[in-house]
Amino acid sequence: MDSKRICMIGAGRVGRLHTKSIDEHLGHQAEVTAIVDPNRELADELAADFGVREVYGSLDEALEHGSFDGVVITTPTFTHRDLAVTAIEAGLHVHLEKPMAMNVHECRDISAAAERAGIALQLGFMRRFDRDFVDAAELLRSGRVGDPMIIKSLTHGPGLPPAWANDIATSNGMLAEVNSHDLDTASWFTGSEPVQIHVQVSNFKGADRGATAEHFYDTLLAIVTFESGALASIAGVCPADYGYDARVEVTCTNGMFEVGDTGPGGLKSIVAGTHERTEAVYPSWRDRFAAAYVQEMVEFVAAMDTGQVRVGAAEGTRAVELVLAGTVSILEERPVGIHEVRDPAFDPWWQASVQKQGA
Ligand SMILES: NC(=O)c1ccc[n+]([C@@H]2O[C@H](COP(=O)([O-])OP(=O)(O)OC[C@H]3O[C@@H](n4cnc5c(N)ncnc54)[C@H](O)[C@@H]3O)[C@@H](O)[C@H]2O)c1
């Protein structure tokens, strides 16, 4: 079988991570043959580090000069719709980073294009590829622990994400950027559709870290209710400074389980007399989910032949709906039904106008 040619769109933090995974783990099955980023310096640097020969300033330029089997989209959320639709209409398979898009209209555009083209569209919810999370989902499906009653999920990120990701106008904020993963996990584990979300937020560190966007928050607590009656609480803190922390506790009708830990194990010590306790922590999401990110690329390449993805447009759209309803909840200080943001007339008024094109 010929090696799949992948165009990496975006040379930032995640573009580098996925390029490295493909370079180090896909062997002769796949190769990043081009990097696309309008930031030429960043693109050149990434290309040089991994011996990628082609560098382009835009996807259009890449499609004009290069030839690919698939693209990996790792750009800011407000660019996802246009890039995904362009790649899909060029007949390419797509791995699209979460959040799928800025709003439901954009998700629908991407889903419709993918259905028309019959390509594989995989969403970047890496927890779906993580051994512990997958084992937990299998335990639930086995019925041994019964039905989920309460899910408590938290994600705390170490440092501030890039500026575009802190502003609800350009990204839908931390609920989208950090806690999309918890929203997807809660829906996945309950196996049920969300009905309502209520989110409250705080801002502890924004002023000190220069995060000045209107409505910036670094702390959130969300309660999601599901059709099954299950309740989920989702906590988010970013920047947390102490490391990357992703943990879930699920109480079921016949038992409970926990997924995740603050660190990879190793030395845990309490030094007598000093009241000090040290424990290994994951410094970043790159460390906590290292194996899942590799598996994500392995399965994306396989999906180019099978057409089967583990997580796709339906799950991506559901998480975006929760993010939108959650943001309304923050701004209007009330619980919000998911049906409100599914209404075609719903307008996410806080988003910068350029992001609402097509809405
Ligand atoms: N799955 C995860 O664990 C995870 C972690 C972090 C970020 N993300 C997601 O990955 C995406 C990127 O995040 P990041 O942290 O790498 O951002 P980043 O800001 O570090 O990198 C984004 C890059 O995209 C480039 N870019 C902007 N517009 C472009 C365009 N039209 N074509 C090509 N390149 C363009 C920028 O110049 C920048 O270099 C976001 O959707 C984010 O939510 C996912």
Side-chain angles (χ1 to χ4, degrees):
M1 207 184 305
D2 288 343
S3 175
K4 306 291 187 204
R5 295 153 301 173
I6 295 176
C7 177
M8 185 63 59
I9 310 178
R13 301 184 307 166
V14 180
R16 173 165 288 272
L17 178 73
H18 289 324
T19 302
K20 185 168 183 281
S21 292
I22 293 166
D23 182 68
E24 293 179 357
H25 297 276
L26 267 294
H28 298 296
Q29 288 168 276
E31 187 187 355
V32 175
T33 58
I35 308 276
V36 173
D37 199 307
N39 182 334
R40 193 64 192 217
E41 207 181 314
L42 212 57
D44 282 338
E45 197 182 317
L46 182 59
D49 287 349
F50 292 96
V52 179
R53 288 179 301 278
E54 301 169 44
V55 176
Y56 302 104
S58 71
L59 175 57
D60 288 340
E61 201 189 320
L63 293 176
E64 194 182 326
H65 298 286
S67 175
F68 312 105
D69 299 292
V71 299
V72 174
I73 300 178
T74 68
T75 56
T77 313
F78 57 84
T79 66
H80 285 187
R81 190 269 306 271
D82 287 356
L83 290 170
V85 170
T86 300
I88 290 167
E89 287 181 348
L92 304 180
H93 302 288
V94 174
H95 170 89
L96 176 58
E97 267 311 320
K98 54 43 72 173
M100 183 169 172
M102 289 296 288
N103 55 53
V104 178
H105 297 279
E106 292 187 350
C107 291
R108 288 187 186 136
D109 289 348
I110 297 170
S111 304
E115 260 173 47
R116 276 195 305 273
I119 53 83
L121 171 63
Q122 175 176 284
L123 262 288
F125 286 118
M126 76 293 193
R127 292 177 192 192
R128 298 262 185 173
F129 302 84
D130 177 80
R131 197 62 260 159
D132 293 344
F133 278 80
V134 170
D135 284 352
E138 281 171 11
L139 176 65
L140 276 167
R141 300 298 167 254
S142 77
R144 282 199 299 129
V145 283
D147 298 324
M149 299 159 73
I150 290 191
I151 296 181
K152 292 192 271 179
S153 184
L154 67 81
T155 303
H156 299 172
L160 266 185
W164 65 264
N166 288 319
D167 187 343
I168 66 167
T170 48
S171 70
N172 291 318
M174 191 173 94
L175 184 60
E177 282 304 312
V178 176
N179 295 107
S180 269
H181 295 294
D182 307 82
L183 296 172
D184 178 56
T185 298
S187 306
W188 177 27
F189 282 2
T190 58
S192 177
E193 287 303 308
V195 177
Q196 180 185 274
I197 184 167
H198 190 188
V199 188
Q200 289 184 276
V201 298
S202 272
N203 180 3
F204 285 87
K205 301 180 183 174
D208 288 349
R209 308 297 165 96
T212 53
E214 197 186 3
H215 303 299
F216 172 83
Y217 58 89
D218 57 18
T219 305
L220 77 79
L221 195 57
I223 295 179
V224 184
T225 55
F226 289 86
E227 279 174 4
S228 66
L231 301 173
S233 74
I234 290 169
V237 173
C238 190
D241 294 323
Y242 66 85
Y244 181 80
D245 195 356
R247 285 175 285 145
V248 189
E249 180 190 294
V250 183
T251 302
C252 301
T253 49
N254 197 32
M256 65 83 73
F257 60 85
E258 291 176 322
V259 190
D261 206 343
T262 48
L267 180 69
K268 292 185 184 180
S269 64
I270 297 174
V271 181
T274 63
H275 308 290
E276 241 175 54
R277 183 185 165 100
T278 58
E279 195 171 331
V281 293
Y282 292 111
S284 150
W285 31 277
R286 298 171 189 82
D287 310 291
R288 166 60 184 90
F289 288 105
Y293 288 120
V294 171
Q295 188 61 18
E296 200 172 53
M297 288 301 105
V298 167
E299 293 198 24
F300 175 51
V301 170
M304 292 184 192
D305 290 322
T306 65
Q308 300 297 313
V309 295
R310 193 184 277 272
V311 55
E315 293 82 2
T317 304
R318 181 171 58 199
V320 170
E321 288 170 347
L322 277 161
V323 164
L324 294 171
T327 307
V328 174
S329 175
I330 293 167
L331 297 175
E332 296 189 346
E333 300 182 359
R334 65 179 177 93
V336 175
I338 309 304
H339 67 276
E340 294 186 38
V341 302
R342 287 193 184 128
D343 183 336
F346 172 73
D347 176 24
W349 68 91
W350 62 89
Q351 296 180 3
S353 58
V354 66
Q355 275 76 64
K356 289 199 288 185
Q357 285 168 10

